[in-house]
Amino acid sequence: MFQGFSDATIDFMWGIRFNNERSWFEANKETYLRTFYQPMKELAQEVYERYHEAHPELDLMYKVSRIYRDARRLYGRGPYKDHLWFSLRRPDTEISDTPVLWFELEPEGWSYGMGYYSATPLTMAKFRRRLDLDPARFLKLARRLEQQDIFQLEGEDYRRPKGGCAPGLEDWYNKKRLSLMAEEKHSDVLFRHELADRLYEGFE
């Protein structure tokens, strides 16, 4: 069961950010596994099991990210990430074609929500088509989002608005990709089991 992260987790993230090379990581690998990766895996498994029990029809899987960057895409950065995340998603779909639920922990804070890592133009075209077919139904969901103050609609807009959508849905209709995201600074909840409850309730 997830018992929380620790000050050592945050110290490691800052450490790898400023010492992003193999010798430092190897000297601190045990700290990484014990205070960062293992708690993240425990958190992911617990949230997944609770969510899967409530929504077995979604047939989701969970995955914890690797700390190792793709050597083909370093772009001048070090070989390690200074953050980790886990996601809940359907196993039989491409990650760009379907939204995922996620939690991400970084040196400065943490975030969680639902959205696309990299939605394709075709995916967003299908999304706009569904809005066109039943705008009233989606408008009810959009209004529910406006009535809370945890999650915010995020995502890059098209430079040229698509236009032609129902009133009230413009912010959704003109996104290249979108997510509903909550961001927080590090606080006591990060170090307690309560974080698993917070994520489960947020995903619900």
Side-chain angles (χ1 to χ4, degrees):
M1 177 183 288
F2 174 73
Q3 298 297 330
F5 294 99
S6 65
D7 288 335
T9 311
I10 299 173
D11 290 344
F12 175 83
M13 287 189 291
W14 284 112
I16 196 66
R17 173 172 290 186
F18 293 109
N19 303 277
N20 203 312
E21 43 87 19
R22 189 171 185 272
S23 62
W24 190 93
F25 177 74
E26 289 299 324
N28 292 274
K29 188 173 182 178
E30 177 57 33
T31 300
Y32 158 69
L33 292 172
R34 177 172 46 83
T35 70
F36 199 4
Y37 180 77
Q38 188 60 34
M40 182 68 77
K41 189 173 181 179
E42 292 170 354
L43 178 62
Q45 184 171 356
E46 180 171 346
V47 174
Y48 162 76
E49 288 176 353
R50 292 173 64 180
Y51 200 80
H52 178 68
E53 183 177 359
H55 303 283
E57 74 283 359
L58 294 179
D59 189 30
L60 300 179
M61 59 173 279
Y62 77 90
K63 185 173 183 179
V64 178
S65 65
R66 290 163 47 88
I67 196 170
Y68 307 97
R69 286 198 174 107
D70 187 336
R72 300 167 298 177
R73 297 180 175 86
L74 293 180
Y75 306 119
R77 301 172 297 180
Y80 308 101
K81 305 183 186 87
D82 58 12
H83 56 282
L84 288 182
W85 67 88
F86 76 79
S87 61
L88 309 183
R89 67 182 182 93
R90 291 178 174 169
D92 58 346
T93 56
E94 293 294 328
I95 200 166
S96 61
D97 293 334
T98 187
V100 303
L101 300 167
W102 91 90
F103 164 80
E104 183 173 14
L105 180 56
E106 303 177 279
E108 297 87 355
W110 53 279
S111 62
Y112 67 113
M114 180 186 72
Y116 293 95
Y117 282 126
S118 182
T120 64
L122 177 59
T123 294
M124 298 312 294
K126 291 179 178 179
F127 174 69
R128 290 191 297 275
R129 177 61 175 162
R130 294 191 68 172
L131 295 189
D132 292 337
L133 291 173
D134 195 355
R137 181 183 180 190
F138 195 86
L139 190 56
K140 290 182 180 179
L141 295 175
R143 286 172 176 164
R144 285 179 61 188
L145 180 69
E146 294 170 358
Q147 294 168 0
Q148 55 82 56
D149 58 3
I150 299 175
F151 296 97
Q152 302 296 322
L153 175 62
E154 304 283 349
E156 182 183 0
D157 291 335
Y158 286 101
R159 291 184 179 180
R160 294 183 179 181
K162 294 296 182 179
C165 66
L169 295 181
E170 295 86 357
D171 288 345
W172 299 85
Y173 205 83
N174 292 307
K175 294 294 184 192
K176 285 186 176 181
R177 63 189 62 88
L178 58 85
S179 63
L180 303 178
M181 182 166 66
E183 295 182 287
E184 297 197 25
K185 298 295 184 181
H186 296 315
S187 63
D188 288 346
V189 69
L190 193 67
F191 310 128
R192 302 197 303 265
H193 179 266
E194 181 186 336
L195 180 61
D197 300 329
R198 179 86 66 88
L199 297 184
Y200 172 74
E201 293 166 3
F203 291 162
E204 279 290 301

